């Protein structure tokens, strides 16, 4: 097929289409699948129940990150009881260990030197490469787009689909380009760049789009900095973010354990060089940003769009012209315990968190350590402040220790921890207490994100380090800022050592795909959606994130049921006392609601947790009406036979008024129409394929598997064109598997 001028996104998309359906959805091949313990247990159980296997264990890599304690680990044991004290966290880690064994997957367990946050280990190993499609049951999969990959988060049902078929059904997004041109001012970091961008385009600005970041500022960023930018594309509401690969990308990847080698490397690089947007390629949306407008930034509210310069003040909601934004700002300030007009630099902090998949890489730790160094040999973390540094992976930790960064932090009174998600999400022991304020390098300042009632300010590692020393939000430029020295890549630790010197991982003991079919998969699910009648509950919150729909403590389950008690938990209960707060869904008649009408845009933004859909369903909600949705949430609803309907803000407001009046609604999917009382019906449209699935009940894995010949044909082409993408199971001459199989106790293993 010949194409006109294409964007980078168009090129990667077109290169991965296995088949296109008449109704506009495409089946896209997945080159890389990353798996972690939170979003995968139900997916593996689904495979088991249907007697399915993992199609490409060689293209799948698993690790534990969210639940793992970051206190020092007892190196002598692989016994999970000794490593993870919390029984629920341990159960999730144990489930993953069993699943990687049963299904023959490569796994970096808690005692593996390559363990770490899933979005840090992929790039670190060269598992992430330019031109690939990459998915993970995690919203920050957008990180991998920094390599010129199409990388996005998916829900657990889709994880199951990818495990079984190595493909995913997708609708093509719009093309958006954000050009950042000029020279960054001194003391401005990539985190400031992305916070500034989100401040400009808003948390829903990227809805329905894949963003390509370009311009001189982006070109001049290191790979680590590019990853921080792409990581937060999801916070701008985008499906994915990407940056065209260039010499910086190739230099980062060269000699990574799983990157192509020798003549395959040269072949790969010449293909990767073609991965740029053509000169005349058309973008649906284009945004231009001047580097000189970007200053060190911090957030003041509970959405990543609530950004101000560190030298600025807490804004006054009364000055906001949009009424929904004003309401959101008032609510944020109350939650954050802030008074309009307060200079940001006067805001005291209790905690400092340096880490996460946004800023837990070596360059981030160097940048924070630079500030501590610049503060002088006697500088200490301010009295009463708890500051922790959590490397994003065990290899980052090792590299930082080799450079003496740990000593700099420890001497100043920072805690130096083991790798994991830590206080970014607080699914482990690292939690922010109610009412406490944290300067954080993570990506989400949602209510309750780091701990129920905790207050988060997002910023760069340099600014977080400055806040730790000052005891209040602080401008890092005051610390006689010295830019970090030229990047010393992780590849400095010889690649062979990284592989051979590792602790045994579970996958060493098993042969691939040992699972036996246990049942004949049923093709038609019993659940269908045709006509829904009942009460609708109005909700007036913009950017209602999935952390709000269901907070982190409910993600520790390994089943899909029983989550109604966690639904909107922090909106329904006081963070300090646990007392009921009279939330709309607890008031008759809304305690029997089957529909939610949101007047706010971007409903279900943020995390990919399918638990949000499961908890709504468990409560009895089957339909959500909103001006726009977080895309992963929308897909998760559809996967659970729930109907997300997108209408204009005015229509949503009209429906919300009727919902407030307690009028009964009828949603008719066949007629695509909402009626209530005498009011004239409101029409809506749904994607024809999804509509068919909802009307008739559908097992899309079974349907995709009927296309298995097309998938196999694609794989054949893939091996011919991009042989470096095949892993151990398809150990061709050029594949990565051939090179990274190692002998362990006399056996050849799946070890990478
Ligand atoms: C647990 C996981 C599903 C979730 C995500 O998708 O983002 C988490 O990583 C988060 O940051 O909230
Ligand atoms: S955003 Fe936080 S919780 Fe989610 S993957 Fe990244 S570090 Fe982990």
């Amino acid at each position: 097929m010949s194409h006109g001028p294409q964007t980078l996104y168009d090129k990667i998309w077109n290169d991965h289409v296995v088949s296109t359906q008449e109704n506009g959805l495409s089946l896209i091949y997945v080159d890389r699948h990353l798996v972690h313990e939170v979003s995968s247990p139900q997916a593996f159980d689904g495979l088991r129940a249907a007697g399915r296997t993992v199609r490409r264990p060689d293209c799948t890599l698993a690790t534990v990150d969210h639940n793992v304690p970051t206190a020092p680990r007892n190196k002598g044991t692989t016994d999970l009881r000794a490593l993870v004290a919390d029984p629920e966290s341990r159960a999730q880690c144990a489930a993953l260990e069993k699943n990687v064994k049963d299904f023959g997957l490569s796994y970096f367990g808690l005692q593996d030197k390559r363990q770490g946050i899933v979005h840090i280990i992929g790039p670190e190993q060269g598992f992430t490469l330019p031109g690939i499609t990459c998915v993970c049951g995690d919203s920050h999969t957008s990180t991998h787009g920094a390599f010129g990959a199409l990388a996005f988060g998916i829900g657990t049902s889709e994880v199951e689909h990818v495990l079984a078929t190595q493909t995913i059904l997708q609708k093509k997004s719009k093309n958006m380009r954000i050009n950042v041109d000029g020279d960054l001012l001194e003391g401005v970091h990539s985190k400031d760049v992305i916070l500034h961008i989100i401040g400009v385009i808003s948390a829903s600005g990227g809805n329905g789009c894949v963003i390509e970041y370009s311009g001189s500022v982006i070109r001049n960023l290191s790979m680590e900095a590019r990853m921080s930018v792409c990581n937060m594309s999801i916070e701008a509401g985008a499906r994915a973010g990407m940056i065209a690969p260039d010499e910086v990308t190739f230099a980062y990847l060269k000699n990574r354990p799983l990157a192509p080698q020798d003549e395959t490397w040269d072949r790969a690089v010449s293909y990767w060089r073609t991965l740029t947007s053509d000169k005349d390629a058309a973008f649906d949306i284009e945004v231009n940003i001047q580097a000189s407008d970007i200053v060190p930034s911090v957030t003041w509210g509970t959405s990543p769009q609530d950004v101000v310069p560190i030298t600025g003040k807490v804004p006054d909601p009364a000055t906001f012209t949009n009424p929904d934004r004003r309401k959101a700002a008032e609510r944020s300030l109350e939650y954050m315990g802030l008074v309009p007009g307060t200079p940001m630099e006067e805001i005291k902090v209790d905690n400092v968190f340096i880490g996460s998949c946004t800023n837990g890489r070596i360059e981030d730790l160097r940048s924070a350590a630079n500030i501590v160094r610049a503060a002088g040999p006697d500088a200490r973390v301010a009295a009463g402040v708890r500051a922790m540094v959590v490397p994003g992976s065990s290899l980052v930790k090792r590299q930082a220790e080799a450079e003496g960064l740990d000593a700099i932090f420890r001497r100043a009174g920072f805690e130096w921890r083991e790798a994991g998600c830590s206080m970014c999400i607080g699914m482990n022991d690292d939690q922010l207490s109610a009412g406490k304020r944290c300067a954080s390098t993570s990506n989400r300042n949602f209510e309750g994100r780091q701990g129920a009632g905790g207050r988060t300010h997002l910023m760069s590692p340099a600014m977080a380090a400055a806040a730790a020393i000052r005891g209040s939000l602080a401008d890092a430029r005051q610390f006689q800022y010295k830019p970090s020295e030229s990047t010393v890549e992780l590849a400095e630790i010889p690649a062979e050592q990284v592989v051979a010197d590792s602790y045994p991982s579970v996958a060493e003991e098993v042969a691939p795909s040992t699972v036996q079919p246990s049942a004949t998969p049923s093709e038609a699910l019993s659940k269908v959606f045709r006509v829904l009648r009942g009460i609708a509950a109005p909700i007036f919150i913009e950017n209602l994130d999935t952390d709000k729909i269901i907070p982190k403590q409910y993600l520790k389950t390994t089943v899909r049921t029983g989550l109604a008690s966690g639904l909107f938990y922090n909106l329904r209960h006081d963070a300090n006392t646990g007392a009921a707060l009279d939330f709309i869904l607890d008031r008759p008649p809304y305690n029997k609601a089957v529909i939610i009408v949101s007047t706010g845009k971007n409903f279900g933004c943020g995390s990919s947790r399918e638990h949000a859909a499961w908890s709504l369903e468990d409560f009895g909600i089957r339909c959500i009406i909103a001006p726009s949705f977080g895309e992963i949430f929308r897909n998760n609803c559809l996967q659970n036979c729930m109907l997300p309907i997108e209408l204009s803000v005015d229509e949503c407001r009209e429906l919300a008024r009727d919902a407030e009046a307690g009028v009964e609604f009828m949603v008719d999917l066949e007629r695509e129409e909402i009626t209530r009382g005498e009011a004239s019906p409101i029409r809506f449209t749904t994607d024809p394929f999804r509509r068919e699935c909802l009307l008739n009940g559908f097992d899309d894995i079974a349907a995709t598997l009927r296309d298995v010949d097309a998938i196999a044909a694609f794989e054949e082409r893939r091996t011919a064109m991009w042989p470096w993408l095949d892993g151990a199971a398809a150990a061709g001459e050029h594949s990565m598997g051939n090179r990274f199989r190692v002998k362990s106790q006399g056996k050849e293993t799946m070890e990478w």
Side-chain angles (χ1 to χ4, degrees):
M1 194 168 36
S2 81
H3 299 278
Q6 298 180 85
T7 65
L8 170 59
Y9 169 49
D10 296 337
K11 288 183 183 177
I12 301 180
W13 174 275
N14 290 332
D15 275 349
H16 288 83
V17 174
V18 173
S19 59
T20 301
Q21 309 191 347
E22 283 160 25
N23 49 46
L25 285 185
S26 294
L27 191 65
I28 296 295
Y29 195 81
V30 173
D31 293 317
R32 294 286 181 262
H33 188 190
L34 288 155
V35 175
H36 66 61
E37 80 279 12
V38 182
S39 54
S40 66
Q42 296 87 347
F44 285 109
D45 282 347
L47 286 190
R48 250 186 219 103
R52 292 175 176 139
T53 55
V54 175
R55 183 171 179 87
R56 294 301 297 258
D58 61 314
C59 296
T60 312
L61 176 61
T63 194
V64 274
D65 49 10
H66 288 70
N67 279 281
V68 305
T70 62
R73 286 173 198 155
N74 176 352
K75 296 288 179 212
T77 178
T78 51
D79 178 6
L80 271 185
R81 266 164 311 193
L83 292 165
V84 189
D86 175 63
E88 283 182 299
S89 289
R90 187 165 68 240
Q92 264 190 350
C93 297
L96 184 59
E97 292 215 343
K98 175 169 171 39
N99 288 328
V100 296
K101 248 187 215 166
D102 285 358
F103 291 91
L105 305 183
S106 291
Y107 172 59
F108 296 170
L110 252 184
Q111 293 290 44
D112 192 303
K113 283 185 179 153
R114 299 157 298 176
Q115 176 270 340
I117 304 171
V118 75
H119 310 305
I120 303 232
I121 64 165
E124 203 166 71
Q125 293 298 315
F127 185 75
T128 306
L129 294 171
I132 61 165
T133 48
C134 173
V135 300
C136 174
D138 198 285
S139 53
H140 288 100
T141 310
S142 57
T143 312
H144 308 261
F147 289 81
L150 173 57
F152 50 87
I154 56 177
T156 298
S157 299
E158 293 174 311
V159 167
E160 186 180 336
H161 189 282
V162 175
L163 288 170
T165 69
Q166 204 60 29
T167 62
I168 187 149
L169 267 174
Q170 282 293 297
K171 188 170 153 205
K172 184 134 191 253
S173 304
K174 286 187 285 193
N175 278 293
M176 178 174 191
R177 179 156 64 186
I178 299 184
N179 304 301
V180 192
D181 278 306
D183 293 311
L184 285 181
L185 302 172
E186 194 170 299
V188 173
H189 297 264
S190 54
K191 184 65 163 283
D192 303 309
V193 174
I194 187 64
L195 285 174
H196 179 88
I197 289 174
I198 298 169
V200 170
I201 70 169
S202 89
S204 55
N207 275 177
C209 298
V210 166
I211 301 176
E212 180 177 343
Y213 301 95
S214 67
S216 59
V217 166
I218 303 294
R219 293 263 73 85
N220 289 333
L221 293 179
S222 68
M223 274 324 291
E224 269 113 344
R226 292 180 189 185
M227 283 189 255
S228 303
V229 170
C230 288
N231 172 279
M232 288 190 70
S233 305
I234 187 75
E235 267 63 64
R239 184 74 182 121
M242 47 175 43
I243 295 173
D246 59 12
E247 297 310 319
V248 177
T249 323
F250 311 146
Y252 176 96
L253 284 171
K254 190 134 177 78
N255 295 326
R256 298 267 155 188
L258 299 177
Q261 310 283 323
D262 307 324
E263 75 278 14
T264 316
W265 169 261
D266 299 334
R267 192 172 156 190
V269 171
S270 44
Y271 164 62
W272 294 343
R273 285 191 203 284
T274 67
L275 298 172
T276 54
S277 287
D278 294 333
K279 215 169 125 273
D280 300 324
F283 285 85
D284 301 286
I285 303 172
E286 195 133 9
V287 177
N288 293 311
I289 289 185
Q290 282 313 313
S292 51
D293 291 339
I294 309 176
V295 293
S297 303
V298 284
T299 61
W300 53 268
T302 55
S303 164
Q305 71 186 16
D306 300 337
V307 182
V308 282
I310 179 65
T311 49
K313 292 183 174 154
V314 175
D316 184 351
T319 61
F320 287 40
T321 45
N322 174 326
D324 285 338
R325 273 236 171 160
R326 191 182 319 132
K327 225 188 243 164
E330 282 162 1
R331 188 190 158 86
S332 289
L333 289 190
E334 202 192 323
Y335 180 84
M336 294 295 289
L338 292 174
V339 178
T342 309
M344 294 309 288
E345 286 184 271
E346 283 177 15
I347 298 172
K348 299 249 175 294
V349 299
D350 307 290
N351 289 64
V352 172
F353 169 62
I354 298 175
S356 87
C357 60
T358 313
N359 284 128
R361 281 170 271 270
I362 188 69
E363 200 178 283
D364 302 314
L365 304 192
R366 286 183 193 138
S367 160
N370 261 345
I371 296 296
V372 179
R373 242 191 314 229
D378 300 326
R380 295 286 175 270
V381 170
V385 173
R386 180 183 179 200
M388 53 206 284
V389 184
V390 188
S393 74
S394 302
L395 287 177
V396 168
K397 178 167 185 271
R398 205 147 76 115
Q399 177 81 26
E401 286 167 357
E403 295 178 22
L405 305 184
D406 60 322
I408 296 170
F409 288 122
R410 282 180 211 266
R411 194 172 46 234
F414 288 80
E415 294 173 36
W416 179 247
R417 316 282 294 187
E418 296 282 343
C421 292
S422 184
M423 205 187 265
C424 171
I425 189 166
M427 283 188 72
N428 45 77
D429 302 331
D430 305 339
Q431 310 246 352
L432 186 61
S433 310
K436 297 283 183 204
R437 191 178 297 284
C438 184
S440 177
T441 67
S442 54
N443 42 48
R444 290 185 170 144
N445 50 353
F446 301 155
E447 289 179 27
R449 170 69 183 183
Q450 297 189 280
R455 296 160 171 165
T456 304
H457 294 271
L458 304 176
M459 63 197 72
S460 69
M463 297 265 284
I469 308 277
R470 280 277 151 82
S472 54
L473 302 184
D475 189 340
R477 291 172 298 187
Q478 292 164 359
F479 287 80
Q480 288 197 353
Y481 177 80
K482 277 186 256 114
S484 49
E485 287 114 45
S486 68
T487 313
V488 191
E489 298 290 352
L490 271 179
E492 271 181 359
I493 299 173
E496 320 79 65
Q497 193 190 343
V498 172
V499 174
D501 190 22
S502 62
Y503 291 92
S505 80
V506 176
E508 287 185 356
E509 297 156 22
V510 294
S513 290
T514 52
V515 178
Q516 293 304 313
S518 60
T520 317
S522 102
E523 295 217 353
L525 294 182
S526 52
K527 282 201 256 172
V528 295
F529 188 112
R530 287 184 187 140
V531 176
L532 176 70
R533 273 192 200 82
I535 289 295
I539 290 190
F540 303 93
I541 303 176
E542 267 219 323
N543 299 314
L544 195 149
D545 55 79
T546 51
D547 278 66
K548 261 206 198 87
I549 299 178
I550 189 149
K552 60 195 177 349
Q553 64 270 30
Y554 290 92
L555 310 188
K556 295 194 182 192
T557 178
T558 52
V559 296
R560 297 168 193 248
T561 48
L563 287 168
S565 56
L567 178 66
F568 293 121
Y569 190 88
N570 294 331
L571 297 180
R572 295 165 86 174
H573 301 92
D574 183 276
N576 294 305
T577 63
L581 287 178
D582 195 32
F583 184 64
I584 181 123
L585 292 181
D586 293 319
R587 260 181 267 148
Y590 305 108
N591 55 346
K592 297 271 182 303
V594 294
I595 299 166
I596 285 179
V597 181
S598 163
T599 56
K601 282 187 287 192
N602 208 16
F603 189 98
C605 59
S607 155
S608 69
R609 54 190 74 176
E610 197 165 319
H611 310 67
W614 296 331
S615 61
L616 284 162
E617 194 200 6
D618 203 31
F619 180 90
I621 304 291
R622 299 287 314 282
C623 170
I624 299 145
I625 303 167
S628 65
F629 290 92
E631 198 149 334
I632 313 177
F633 173 77
R634 184 213 310 269
N635 290 339
N636 287 340
C637 286
L638 290 164
Q639 291 287 342
N640 289 279
C641 206
M642 293 158 67
L643 176 63
I645 298 178
E646 209 168 288
L647 294 175
S648 70
V649 175
D650 287 343
E651 287 168 322
C652 290
R653 288 202 179 126
E654 184 184 332
L655 290 175
R657 274 195 297 276
D658 293 337
E660 273 186 303
V663 178
E664 195 187 64
F665 277 47
M666 185 169 87
V667 176
D668 187 330
L669 178 57
E670 225 145 351
R671 300 164 66 110
E672 297 189 308
E673 164 176 292
I674 303 166
T675 48
R676 64 278 173 235
E678 300 297 299
S680 42
I682 291 186
R683 307 266 314 152
F684 63 89
T685 50
T686 40
D687 174 88
F689 172 76
R690 294 295 179 200
R691 184 161 160 266
E692 277 306 301
C693 295
L694 291 171
L695 287 172
N696 302 315
F698 191 69
D699 175 353
D700 53 359
I701 300 182
T704 301
L705 287 173
R706 282 198 290 272
D707 236 358
V708 73
D709 290 346
I711 300 174
F714 181 92
E715 285 171 333
E716 228 169 88
R717 278 202 311 277
R718 189 180 92 135
T719 302
M721 288 172 70
W722 309 299
W724 56 88
L725 295 181
D726 289 327
E733 194 191 338
H734 302 284
S735 79
M736 60 180 173
N738 202 32
R739 280 174 290 104
F740 289 99
R741 278 189 179 204
V742 292
K743 296 252 189 217
S744 168
Q745 293 156 5
K747 284 188 297 177
E748 200 175 67
T749 75
M750 280 284 291
E751 190 60 72
W752 291 88

